[in-house]
């Protein structure tokens, strides 16, 4: 129990300072080169790292799914991550990273796990299309130094959608239930750095009949909220006349969702605006973090009907 409490305390300290831990790994030689580039994944999403176990090939498995592995009594799909990003693992697929995303468990085969580094989210920049749709952000390991090592942070949500599209929910007005009624003239201000997550949020809010504005980072959402406040005051209104609710992811470059929420709830102008955390970081520890920064609700990605229910409940308070 004490170890678990220490883990929660450690995580809380990180999120209180806009920091996180990134697990670095390598997938082999990059296309057309002999370089073994670094990739990263948030440690919060990694359940365990292990030497490659026996994998059972499955009939009609999706492309890039090597098969399944029996890990502590749970049958888990194993995904060939180097094949997805186009790398060639000269040293073989030796390591398995077992991860938890949005209430699902899967394992990624990689060539090598390197180290865990602690970074400030301000050292992570949006990829802006570099790396196609598989990379959400680029982390600078050595700060602003010239020649800093760069890490590509993979968009696991997009990868899972590409590999196992049949598992995705169809989002329709019928699937979300009754329309979400916002106060007249207001919007949902949403923030998420993953293109596929933004697409699903937009589809979900559209199916709910809720007007929205989408941003890509916590910093962008924070800047936009302040701009809306300025514009509202010029009209003799308040920001609450313009923004009904803020919907935010947790993991985002420059400013994470924890910091965005804390900024909103500590500012007299904005503190009455409900904030809903919408994240693939599931589990009781992460939900406790959400509560500690003052969010009004937490909902795991991505079930549109649950998101709609949560938004309705928050707006009624």
């Amino acid at each position: 129990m004490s170890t678990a409490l220490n883990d929660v305390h450690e995580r809380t300290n990180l999120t209180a300072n806009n920091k996180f831990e990134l697990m670095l790994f390598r997938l082999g030689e990059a296309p057309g080169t002999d370089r073994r580039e670094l990739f990263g994944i948030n440690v919060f999403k990694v359940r365990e790292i292990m030497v490659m176990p026996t994998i059972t090939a499955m009939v009609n498995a999706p492309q890039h799914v090597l098969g399944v592995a029996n890990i502590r009594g749970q049958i888990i799909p194993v995904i060939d991550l180097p094949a997805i990003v186009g790398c060639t693992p000269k040293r073989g697929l030796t390591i398995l990273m077992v991860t938890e995303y949005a209430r699902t468990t899967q394992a990624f085969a990689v060539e090598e796990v390197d180290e865990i580094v602690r970074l400030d989210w301000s050292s992570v920049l949006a990829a802006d299309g570099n790396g196609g749709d598989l990379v959400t952000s680029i982390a600078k390991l050595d700060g602003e130094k010239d020649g800093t090592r760069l890490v590509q942070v993979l968009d696991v949500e997009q990868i899972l959608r590409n590999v196992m599209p049949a598992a995705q929910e169809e989002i329709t007005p019928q699937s979300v239930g009754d329309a979400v009624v916002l106060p007249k003239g207001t919007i949902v201000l949403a923030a998420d750095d993953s293109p596929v997550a933004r697409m699903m949020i937009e589809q979900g809010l559209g199916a709910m009949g809720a007007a929205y504005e989408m941003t890509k980072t916590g910093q962008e959402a924070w800047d936009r909220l302040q701009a809306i406040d300025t514009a509202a005051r010029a009209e003799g209104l308040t920001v609450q006349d313009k923004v009904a609710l803020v919907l935010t992811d947790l993991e985002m470059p420059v400013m994470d969702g924890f910091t965005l929420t804390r900024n909103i709830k500590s500012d007299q102008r904005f503190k009455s605006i409900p904030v809903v955390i919408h994240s693939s970081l599931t589990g009781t520890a992460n939900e406790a973090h959400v509560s500690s920064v003052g969010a009004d609700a937490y909902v795991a990605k991505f079930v549109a009907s649950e998101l709609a229910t949560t938004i309705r409940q928050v707006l009624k308070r």
Side-chain angles (χ1 to χ4, degrees):
M1 176 64 77
S2 61
T3 300
L5 290 174
N6 287 338
D7 289 344
V8 170
H9 180 67
E10 183 71 10
R11 287 184 174 185
T12 301
N13 285 339
L14 285 177
T15 58
N17 294 286
N18 200 40
K19 295 181 183 294
F20 75 113
E21 289 183 327
L22 193 66
M23 176 165 288
L24 309 183
F25 56 91
R26 299 183 192 271
L27 300 177
E29 294 179 0
T33 76
D34 59 358
R35 289 176 56 87
R36 299 171 63 246
E37 305 293 357
L38 280 170
F39 295 86
I41 183 175
N42 194 323
V43 170
F44 285 7
K45 292 181 175 177
V46 180
R47 194 175 82 182
E48 65 180 304
I49 303 293
M50 61 194 303
V51 174
M52 187 65 66
T54 300
I55 298 174
T56 301
M58 298 296 291
V59 175
N60 292 327
Q63 185 182 17
H64 303 316
V65 174
L66 298 173
V68 296
N70 183 357
I71 301 175
R72 309 192 194 290
Q74 184 178 6
I75 304 302
I76 297 175
V78 177
I79 298 170
D80 185 346
L81 197 51
I84 290 171
V85 302
C87 290
T88 303
K90 297 292 187 179
R91 303 177 186 181
L93 298 175
T94 63
I95 300 294
L96 202 63
M97 295 193 309
V98 182
T99 65
E100 294 181 342
Y101 273 83
R103 297 181 254 193
T104 66
T105 302
Q106 53 283 311
F108 292 100
V110 303
E111 183 183 60
E112 174 186 303
V113 169
D114 200 75
E115 63 177 317
I116 294 174
V117 295
R118 184 167 294 182
L119 298 173
D120 192 293
W121 277 109
S122 62
S123 296
V124 184
L125 305 179
D128 290 332
N130 295 311
D133 63 354
L134 299 183
V135 177
T136 59
S137 51
I138 306 292
K140 299 181 290 186
L141 294 188
D142 309 308
E144 300 302 323
K145 291 195 321 186
D146 289 343
T148 180
R149 294 171 296 161
L150 300 178
V151 177
Q152 301 173 68
V153 181
L154 293 176
D155 187 345
V156 179
E157 292 165 337
Q158 180 68 63
I159 290 170
L160 293 177
R161 187 176 180 85
N162 291 352
V163 173
M164 294 179 281
Q168 308 302 318
E169 174 196 24
E170 183 181 3
I171 302 171
T172 65
Q174 292 73 32
S175 69
V176 301
D178 296 337
V180 169
V181 180
L182 302 180
K184 185 177 179 179
T186 64
I187 62 167
V188 173
L189 181 62
D192 202 298
D193 68 319
S194 166
V196 68
R198 289 198 300 272
M199 177 191 70
M200 295 174 72
I201 291 167
E202 289 173 353
Q203 289 177 354
L205 292 174
M208 297 171 207
Y212 63 86
E213 183 173 330
M214 198 80 223
T215 61
K216 297 179 181 178
T217 70
Q219 185 65 58
E220 187 178 331
W222 177 240
D223 292 344
R224 185 66 189 123
L225 188 59
Q226 295 182 86
I228 292 172
D229 174 64
T230 300
R233 289 173 184 271
E235 298 176 34
L237 302 173
T238 69
V239 68
Q240 288 79 7
D241 295 316
K242 300 289 187 178
V243 179
L245 180 142
V246 173
L247 177 68
T248 180
D249 187 22
L250 289 180
E251 301 173 280
M252 293 181 290
V254 187
M255 180 190 290
D256 68 358
F258 290 114
T259 303
L260 172 62
T261 303
R262 192 162 41 244
N263 284 352
I264 292 171
K265 293 301 183 180
S266 63
D267 192 308
Q268 290 298 322
R269 297 172 296 171
F270 309 130
K271 63 186 302 182
S272 64
I273 299 175
V275 177
V276 174
I277 300 287
H278 185 230
S279 176
S280 57
L281 286 176
T282 53
T284 55
N286 290 310
E287 292 185 36
H289 299 162
V290 167
S291 177
S292 71
V293 295
D296 295 87
Y298 170 94
V299 60
K301 289 180 179 175
F302 185 89
V303 179
S305 58
E306 292 184 5
L307 177 58
T309 297
T310 300
I311 290 176
R312 288 191 206 98
Q313 290 173 345
V314 168
L315 290 175
K316 288 178 181 178
R317 294 175 185 171

